[in-house]
Amino acid sequence: MTALEATRIASLPEDAYYIPNFINEAEEERLLQKITTVPLPRWTQLSHRRLQTWPSALSKSNILLASPLPTWLTEPIITPRFEELGIFVDAPHGAPNHVLINEYRPGQGIMPHEDGAAYHPLVATVSLGAPIVLDVYEKQHRQEGSDSPVPEQVNDHGDDGQKEQNGTNPRHYRILQEPRSLLITRKRMYTDYLHGITETDRDENLSAQTVCNWGLLGDRQRYECGSYEREVRMSLTYRDVIKVAKLGNSGRFLGIR
Ligand SMILES: O=C(O)CCC(=O)C(=O)O
Ligand SMILES: [Fe+2]
C-alpha cells in the first residue's frame, strides 16, 4: 500500500485514504449510464434510498454464491486500478467479489452503521454524480447495565441499520466525497467506527477545520463557499465477501432467497 501513503487522511484513525479523480468524466458517465439502464427489478427500494447488489444478495448466513462481477464494474476500476494500488492484496480472495450501488437523492442518507463481519474489513467506495459528506463516528462502548441499542449492521437484505447508539459526545469526523473520487476505509476505521450520511438537501459548514480530507480534495475551490446543494449521488462500494460457495457443491445449503 506504499503508493497509497500520500493519499492517507492523516487526521483520521488508521486506515483511511482519499483519491480525487480516481476515474475520469467519461468513465463516470459510462458507469451512470449502465446503472440507470439496468432493468428496474435490479433495484431494491429502501425507505431512504435505493440499492443494487452485484452479483447477488448474500444468503442469510452471509454466504455469496460464486459468480463473476459484470465487466463494467471490474474495468477499469478493479483491473487495473485497484490492482496497481494493491488495495485488496491482503483480502481473502485478493480482489473484491461484491459491489453495492447506493443512490441518494437530495434529502436522502443512511443512518450510522457498521458494515459487519460478512466482509473482509476493507471498503473501497467510488462516488458518482455529485458530492456528499460521509459522517464517521467513534463507536461508543455500551454502558454497563444500560439498554442503549448497539448499532445494527447494514447488509444487502434491505435493512438500514437504523439505530444510532446512545451516549454522549462520540468523536465525529466528516469526509467530503467528490464525484469520481475513491475512498478507502479499512482496519480500525472499519471495525471501530460507524459511518452514515445525513438526510439533508444541503451540506454546510464545509472548511479545512470541519472536513478531514480538505487538503486532499481535487477541487477545493468549489467548496470554499462552505456549502452545496445535494444532487443525485451514487456510490459503488467494493468489498470482499469472506464466505463464498460454488453452486453444485453447497448450493442446496445456501437458503438463497
Ligand atoms: O454511499 C456511501 O458512501 C456509503 C454506503 C454504505 O455505507 C454502505 O453501503 O454500507
Ligand atoms: Fe456502510
Side-chain angles (χ1 to χ4, degrees):
M1 296 278 268
T2 45
L4 277 184
E5 233 7 80
T7 72
R8 180 187 287 281
I9 307 178
S11 57
L12 281 181
E14 291 176 84
D15 287 338
Y17 305 90
Y18 179 80
I19 303 177
N21 298 307
F22 179 72
I23 59 170
N24 63 37
E25 286 186 15
E27 291 161 348
E28 177 187 34
E29 199 46 55
R30 185 168 164 270
L31 283 162
L32 285 169
Q33 168 75 17
K34 285 286 187 188
I35 294 166
T36 52
T37 56
V38 297
L40 207 53
R42 261 281 168 195
W43 287 105
T44 304
Q45 183 66 53
L46 307 178
S47 50
H48 299 265
R49 66 200 153 85
R50 57 177 190 162
L51 173 76
Q52 289 179 26
T53 308
W54 294 91
S56 61
L58 307 188
S59 75
K60 280 179 185 157
S61 48
N62 287 331
I63 298 170
L64 175 69
L65 184 59
S67 174
L69 289 165
T71 314
W72 59 270
L73 282 172
T74 61
E75 292 174 15
I77 291 177
I78 299 177
T79 310
R81 304 224 179 117
F82 285 0
E83 291 169 2
E84 284 167 0
L85 291 166
I87 299 174
F88 280 87
V89 280
D90 295 331
H93 304 96
N97 56 16
H98 198 250
V99 182
L100 293 180
I101 303 177
N102 280 294
E103 179 193 71
Y104 305 85
R105 296 173 177 275
Q108 296 185 327
I110 183 167
M111 295 297 282
H113 66 277
E114 57 188 318
D115 288 353
Y119 310 101
H120 177 67
L122 162 63
V123 188
T125 306
V126 177
S127 290
L128 308 175
I132 212 158
V133 169
L134 185 77
D135 295 297
V136 177
Y137 305 90
E138 192 171 13
K139 274 195 213 172
Q140 295 282 91
H141 292 293
R142 251 183 114 150
Q143 281 171 1
E144 289 291 314
S146 91
D147 285 335
S148 61
V150 289
E152 291 185 355
Q153 294 173 353
V154 159
N155 53 38
D156 58 4
H157 307 143
D159 306 328
D160 253 20
Q162 294 287 349
K163 288 177 188 152
E164 191 169 358
Q165 285 173 298
N166 286 339
T168 49
N169 209 16
R171 291 201 65 181
H172 174 202
Y173 304 94
R174 298 170 84 206
I175 303 173
L176 176 46
Q177 290 176 276
E178 297 169 285
R180 299 178 293 285
S181 70
L182 177 70
L183 174 68
I184 301 164
T185 52
R186 60 174 197 169
K187 299 188 176 170
R188 276 191 59 219
M189 271 301 284
Y190 185 99
T191 52
D192 296 359
Y193 289 78
L194 307 176
H195 55 278
I197 291 171
T198 306
E199 293 182 353
T200 181
D201 292 325
R202 197 179 160 76
D203 283 315
E204 302 184 302
N205 193 22
L206 308 171
S207 70
Q209 284 70 47
T210 59
V211 171
C212 64
N213 60 325
W214 189 260
L216 294 167
L217 292 177
D219 186 9
R220 212 173 307 155
Q221 235 180 340
R222 177 172 174 191
Y223 308 103
E224 262 158 11
C225 65
S227 67
Y228 57 81
E229 300 289 326
R230 287 265 187 93
E231 289 167 52
V232 177
R233 180 263 186 177
M234 308 254 193
S235 63
L236 313 180
T237 51
Y238 287 80
R239 301 182 181 84
D240 187 1
V241 178
I242 294 167
K243 291 187 275 181
V244 178
K246 292 199 172 69
L247 194 63
N249 295 339
S250 37
R252 66 202 154 101
F253 300 119
L254 282 173
I256 300 232
R257 289 177 297 177

